[in-house]
Amino acid sequence: MIIVEEVQSKDQKKEFLEFPAQLYQHDKNYIRPLDQNIEEIFDPKKISSSKMGNVRDFCLKRSQNHW
């Protein structure tokens, strides 16, 4: 079972930023972007809402008892 959670806490934000590094940990060609660059993409103060609409971070997670 997959759970979709909106990123709201510091722990969730850390998990959101760490996920790609975990996913691609065995890919020697993966280059991790700077956390600051990722955070800027989702910062409503730094993006034009007329271009992007409402922007939110979400994490997909496996439930503890499934998958």
Side-chain angles (χ1 to χ4, degrees), residues 1-5 15 19 22-23 25 58-67:
M1 173 182 258
I2 297 176
I3 300 168
V4 179
E5 292 182 344
E15 185 177 4
F19 174 74
Q22 292 174 9
L23 180 64
Q25 66 184 334
F58 288 90
C59 282
L60 295 174
K61 300 172 76 174
R62 291 179 286 183
S63 71
Q64 295 293 331
N65 300 324
H66 296 88
W67 191 1

Side-chain angles (χ1 to χ4, degrees), residues 7 11 19 22 29 36 38 41-44 53 56 61-62:
V7 175
D11 288 340
F19 174 74
Q22 292 174 9
N29 297 310
Q36 177 183 353
I38 300 299
I41 292 170
F42 296 103
D43 186 348
R56 295 185 182 132
K61 300 172 76 174
R62 291 179 286 183

Side-chain angles (χ1 to χ4, degrees), residues 5-20:
E5 292 182 344
E6 183 175 356
V7 175
Q8 296 180 341
S9 71
K10 286 185 179 185
D11 288 340
Q12 288 173 317
K13 183 176 181 180
K14 181 180 177 184
E15 185 177 4
F16 177 83
L17 293 171
E18 292 291 327
F19 174 74

